[in-house]
Amino acid sequence: MPATRLRARLTIAAVAAVGLSLVAPVGAAVAAPPGPGEEARPAGGQGTGTAYTNPVSRRFADTYADPSVIRGKDGWWYAYGTTDPLNEGETERHILPMSRSKDLVSWEYLGDAFTEATLPSWADTDRGAALWAPDIRFVDGRYRLYYVVTETTETDEPNDNAIGVAFADSPTGPWTDSGDPVVGPRRGEGGEEGNFRWTFDPTHVVGPGNTEYLFYGSYYGGIHVTELSDDGTEAIGSPTQVAIDNKYEGAYVIQRDGWWYLFASSANCCAGPTTGYSVHVGRSRDLRGPYVDREGVPLNQSRAGGTPVLAQNGNRWVGTGHNAVVTDLAGQDWTLYHAIDRADPYLTGTEGINERPMLLDRLDWIGGWPTVRAGAWASEGRQPGPITGGRTVTDFTRPDGDFQTERTWSRVSDLYGGTSLVSVGGGMHTVLTRQALPTEVHIEADFRTDAGASGEHGLQAASRPRQGSGIAAMIDPETRQLVVRTTDRGRVTSARSTALPASYDPTDWHSLILEVRNGQAWAQLTHARLGDPLAEATLTLPRGTSPSGLAGAFAQGAGVRVDNLSALRAARLVSQPIPAPGPGRLLRNSSDEFNGSAPAAGWEEVRDPDVTVAGGELVWPVESKDLTGPGGNAGLLLRDVPTGNWTAETKLTIDLGTDNVRNFQQGGLIAYVDDDLFARLSHVAIWNTRQTEFGKEMPYPQPADPGRTSYGGTIVGPPAETTWLRLTHRIDRANGERELQASTSTDGRTWVRGGVWTLPAGSDVRIGLISHGLQTGDQATSRFDYFRLYAD
């Protein structure tokens, strides 16, 4: 037997054997262990959360856009927002405001990362530089804050935006900028002054081998990823574009089950009550891409893919975007993002800064793809909150609840403002729950070692010390491996290991997770629980592995520090989406297969559309007119709809091609009240992209400004040369509003559901077809294979 394997057997046996020879921690009583052959009763481990109603930033801010979130090494959650005044009536801006929470629900304001006097030296204050879109990280023992600097001294031209980074030992600073851009200004095509690509929205990721990367970019230029220097302050090598320009911004990247997931926001962030900002996702086995959506469509092409994760659903919230992802202490993912209350869309008055508070909702993974609340999306009513507390959750600043220690631990203050335990003396040290946890558990803690300490340390579950049995995830500093293994009566029965990166430094704080679920034990080591693991290992548990037992942390020898320990029942994860509404019963007399020589009876032609019917299609050259803005003048083909619920569907072929600029030619469906109040779903050319946009126009929410309108769109699924479009109409029973949800398909069978626009209660809605928007490029032609109307 190899020496390393023999040592492994002895170590795990020792871990299990001492786990219940317990002495009390400071201020705690000793719990009597079970006798030989007795089982600890499955009890405890029930986590607690705080119920909430969005927005969660309401206690301190009316607006808190572009949120970035981390769990600090002191056990608090910290959130950072973009530069804006925080509340209605304020005139002074807050430069990257900071807040904290113990439960992800109740937040308190802590001040700003920068002041006007402490802005980075290379921010051009003469041109009003602002800092946008923060991204918070903890790497190599220090906190980092990445951000956009909108105007810099790198050039003497306007709009020369760039990415910066600042460092701190505390999540609230003081922050020290690195001194120059991480990614500098990038010139756009053409040589005109002030023409710079949008170097916005940074998000940092630790990739394979502990190599650091930065994603950044926006509509002008697209989203890119670049490798970073070892200290995270400089972009090196050549960047790779991962998402098309003119569609995506606000990247956020995590790894899950061997896939890298790129979340990105689409459409206009800030169109007041018609903001259609929403979150889409693609995934890749390689951090540098290519990223594809659920249907296999790449995000970096003209007809760009992207599976919807979060969009408006007909309640008060629109503009749901620029998200971050966190995981609670039971293993459930959550997303924090900003949104706009369509009844109160502006911070002051009826224009200017859009009021974008911070929202929180559950993030589910269904069939390998993320979606918020199983596809229900943004919540408005009261919700159960994240699991962030319980008697088996401790940061060691107070009596440790249902934990008990063995051997000698000492409480010490740490650099980050918290309290941790450090093992003192030789032997095996444990911090375990007093009672057994159930079959499925989620355990985590932060660890680091003092210089010179080399003892194994980690987490354990289903521990039966008197039997020498258990499940453990451990860091082995000597072999530099993350190991997951099981023991039975002192014998190692199964094990999996993963090498740690060569640059891994055990003297820095790292986060370790052990989760036992569905017959598997999974371990993950990260810098700070942000979905970019340094190492992972998954072990299928041997048949007969005992499903419950004590849980907690262990350390071999002196100088191992542990903090933020939790051992809880694993979250019950959602595995099925909310049911999608079917189209209902076909209304043949209200449908048209376009098999004749003219549109069937029931259509009304508005403003003489140039339509013909031939070869089983309705043919309509794209008009050089539009409906958006006051006094829309485009032609329409309309018909009445039934009362109650209905669905309209068409099959559209439009020769928009790809890549070239043919703004803003489109064909599709429209739910029409009048020229200033409608919702349209179309395959549209937007610069070099082709998208399915679901747009809404409405009168501007200000009676003193008659004739002014507000327009915005949200993006659905990717289009193809032939695209199926569907609008589903429901009446909100609470307020009578007309809710319209868009869906698209590229084969007529698999549908992508998108966002919901509402029209006022009592609106006289008609349904129809459109073909308009020609501004540039060769004229396209819309060809409709059919129009079908369904009713429940």
Side-chain angles (χ1 to χ4, degrees):
M1 177 182 294
T4 54
R5 180 64 178 271
L6 176 61
R7 182 166 53 82
R9 286 189 57 181
L10 293 173
T11 301
I12 272 294
V15 169
V18 300
L20 279 177
S21 302
L22 300 171
V23 299
V26 176
V30 176
E38 295 179 355
E39 295 293 333
R41 290 175 295 174
Q46 185 66 50
T48 60
T50 304
Y52 71 96
T53 302
N54 276 320
V56 294
S57 59
R58 65 159 57 86
R59 290 190 177 184
F60 72 93
D62 294 324
T63 191
Y64 206 68
D66 304 342
S68 180
V69 185
I70 193 171
R71 192 182 189 214
K73 297 305 178 181
D74 59 359
W76 288 82
W77 303 86
Y78 292 85
Y80 306 77
T82 207
T83 297
D84 270 326
L86 285 180
N87 291 290
E88 294 180 358
E90 274 191 279
T91 57
E92 299 298 321
R93 63 180 185 172
H94 293 267
I95 305 174
L96 306 186
M98 304 177 292
S99 58
R100 73 174 183 175
S101 172
K102 270 294 187 183
D103 57 11
L104 287 168
V105 170
S106 302
W107 294 86
E108 60 178 323
Y109 170 64
L110 298 176
D112 304 328
F114 291 91
T115 67
E116 301 293 349
T118 63
L119 283 167
S121 60
W122 51 277
D124 192 333
T125 55
D126 291 339
R127 286 192 271 128
L131 306 189
W132 290 349
D135 182 61
I136 182 65
R137 300 285 150 167
F138 179 88
V139 184
D140 297 338
R142 301 193 75 195
Y143 291 93
R144 297 184 193 171
L145 195 61
Y146 291 88
Y147 38 79
V148 180
V149 178
T150 61
E151 304 282 352
T152 80
T153 58
E154 297 294 298
T155 78
D156 58 1
E157 302 175 39
N159 309 317
D160 58 344
N161 48 91
I163 303 295
V165 64
F167 295 82
D169 292 327
S170 160
T172 56
W175 295 98
T176 301
D177 180 79
S178 67
D180 62 0
V182 179
V183 180
R186 302 174 299 143
R187 290 197 176 275
E189 296 180 5
E192 60 269 27
E193 182 179 359
N195 181 359
F196 292 92
R197 300 183 189 275
W198 293 357
T199 307
F200 295 169
D201 300 346
T203 189
H204 175 279
V205 174
V206 174
N210 205 23
T211 302
E212 298 183 38
Y213 295 87
L214 191 74
F215 288 76
Y216 61 89
S218 182
Y219 303 128
Y220 184 28
I223 296 176
H224 291 73
V225 58
T226 184
E227 187 176 338
L228 294 177
S229 57
D230 289 342
D231 62 0
T233 64
E234 302 290 341
I236 61 176
S238 299
T240 300
Q241 186 168 347
V242 293
I244 190 81
D245 47 326
N246 294 305
K247 183 168 184 179
Y248 288 122
E249 66 171 13
Y252 195 88
V253 178
I254 63 173
Q255 188 191 79
R256 183 183 176 91
D257 295 334
W259 294 95
W260 290 96
Y261 288 84
L262 168 61
F263 296 81
S265 295
S266 65
N268 190 338
C269 73
C270 309
T274 55
T275 300
Y277 211 47
S278 56
V279 179
H280 296 246
V281 73
R283 71 182 188 183
S284 173
R285 291 292 188 187
D286 189 321
L287 184 143
R288 289 184 176 268
Y291 288 86
V292 300
D293 68 10
R294 186 177 53 202
E295 279 65 52
V297 181
L299 273 62
N300 194 26
Q301 66 177 32
S302 179
R303 294 174 181 154
T307 296
V309 176
L310 173 64
Q312 68 261 29
N313 56 16
N315 63 17
R316 66 190 280 200
W317 301 113
V318 297
T320 53
H322 202 116
N323 72 310
V325 177
V326 296
T327 306
D328 73 13
L329 301 185
Q332 173 66 58
D333 285 343
W334 297 78
T335 187
L336 291 104
Y337 58 98
H338 70 239
I340 294 172
D341 183 345
R342 57 190 170 101
D344 183 21
Y346 298 102
L347 195 61
T348 302
T350 58
E351 57 186 341
I353 297 173
N354 280 219
E355 187 171 308
R356 298 176 288 167
M358 180 171 67
L359 279 65
L360 168 74
D361 276 306
R362 191 187 73 237
L363 183 67
D364 299 318
W365 295 84
I366 299 174
W369 292 92
T371 185
V372 172
R373 297 175 60 231
W377 300 337
S379 68
E380 183 175 22
R382 192 168 176 81
Q383 302 292 312
I387 300 300
T388 54
R391 290 191 58 81
T392 50
V393 176
T394 182
D395 59 6
F396 302 114
T397 58
R398 52 189 180 276
D400 303 328
D402 282 354
F403 286 107
Q404 49 194 341
T405 60
E406 189 277 332
R407 295 291 174 97
T408 303
W409 296 89
S410 177
R411 276 192 175 90
V412 294
S413 298
D414 59 43
L415 178 65
Y416 309 109
T419 300
S420 57
L421 296 187
V422 58
S423 57
V424 178
M428 182 61 65
H429 304 70
T430 62
V431 186
L432 296 175
T433 55
R434 297 179 181 278
Q435 294 179 303
L437 268 63
T439 304
E440 298 189 336
V441 294
H442 184 94
I443 311 161
E444 58 179 87
D446 292 331
F447 289 95
R448 78 174 183 87
T449 63
D450 292 341
S454 59
E456 297 165 339
H457 51 277
L459 303 169
Q460 61 189 83
S463 176
R464 283 167 175 73
R466 302 229 180 238
Q467 298 177 9
S469 303
I471 304 167
M474 56 172 278
I475 299 167
D476 187 335
E478 290 190 8
T479 64
R480 299 186 65 82
Q481 290 185 325
L482 172 65
V483 182
V484 185
R485 59 194 178 193
T486 62
T487 56
D488 182 23
R489 295 174 177 84
R491 180 176 61 88
V492 175
T493 55
S494 60
R496 282 290 175 90
S497 62
T498 301
L500 298 174
S503 57
Y504 168 72
D505 184 352
T507 65
D508 291 331
W509 283 107
H510 292 86
S511 299
L512 180 64
I513 293 172
L514 170 61
E515 186 172 274
V516 181
R517 181 193 295 278
N518 297 328
Q520 291 188 319
W522 166 74
Q524 182 188 74
L525 182 70
T526 63
H527 285 286
R529 310 175 74 257
L530 288 176
D532 48 352
L534 295 171
E536 290 184 302
T538 300
L539 176 66
T540 299
L541 299 177
R543 181 176 297 180
T545 301
S546 185
S548 65
L550 306 183
F554 66 88
Q556 177 70 53
V560 176
R561 298 176 184 251
V562 60
D563 201 355
N564 301 317
L565 173 62
S566 59
L568 297 170
R569 298 170 187 258
R572 294 182 179 180
L573 304 179
V574 173
S575 60
Q576 296 295 323
I578 62 171
R585 172 178 52 88
L586 178 64
L587 303 178
R588 296 187 182 278
N589 292 335
S590 298
S591 302
D592 195 343
E593 299 296 319
F594 303 125
N595 289 330
S597 58
W603 290 105
E604 177 188 357
E605 296 186 0
V606 177
R607 288 185 287 267
D608 298 321
D610 182 18
V611 298
T612 58
V613 175
E617 296 177 323
L618 184 141
V619 181
W620 192 349
V622 172
E623 299 178 359
S624 56
K625 301 176 182 179
D626 210 325
L627 280 184
T628 57
N633 60 359
L636 301 168
L637 199 59
L638 300 174
R639 64 184 311 120
D640 294 334
V641 296
T643 58
N645 298 334
W646 49 264
T647 297
E649 179 181 311
T650 193
K651 178 183 176 183
L652 168 69
T653 301
I654 182 169
D655 55 340
L656 290 173
T658 61
D659 298 293
N660 59 338
V661 177
R662 301 177 74 174
N663 289 343
F664 288 98
Q665 301 189 52
Q666 61 192 286
L669 291 168
I670 187 167
Y672 177 87
V673 179
D674 58 43
D675 286 344
D676 294 332
L677 182 59
F678 60 83
R680 70 181 180 194
L681 172 62
S682 57
H683 178 177
V684 56
I686 302 176
W687 298 99
N688 58 316
T689 70
R690 306 297 181 262
Q691 305 183 37
T692 56
E693 182 189 62
F694 184 34
K696 176 185 177 180
E697 181 166 280
M698 61 178 285
Y700 207 75
Q702 169 63 323
D705 193 4
R708 188 176 178 185
T709 59
S710 177
Y711 178 84
T714 189
I715 307 304
V716 195
E721 184 174 348
T722 298
T723 308
W724 284 255
L725 306 173
R726 182 182 281 177
L727 286 179
T728 300
H729 170 269
R730 297 289 184 267
I731 297 177
D732 189 313
R733 294 181 180 180
N735 57 27
E737 284 186 326
R738 306 300 186 92
E739 297 180 348
L740 293 151
Q741 183 169 35
S743 302
T744 66
S745 175
T746 56
D747 60 11
R749 299 183 301 275
T750 302
W751 291 86
V752 177
R753 291 190 300 131
V756 176
W757 288 120
T758 62
L759 298 173
S763 296
D764 183 11
V765 179
R766 289 185 290 170
I767 191 70
L769 303 175
I770 59 101
S771 181
H772 59 234
L774 170 61
Q775 289 188 7
T776 57
D778 295 336
Q779 183 182 36
T781 298
S782 299
R783 299 178 180 273
F784 298 90
D785 186 81
Y786 61 78
F787 170 88
R788 294 172 184 165
L789 197 59
Y790 303 83
D792 288 356

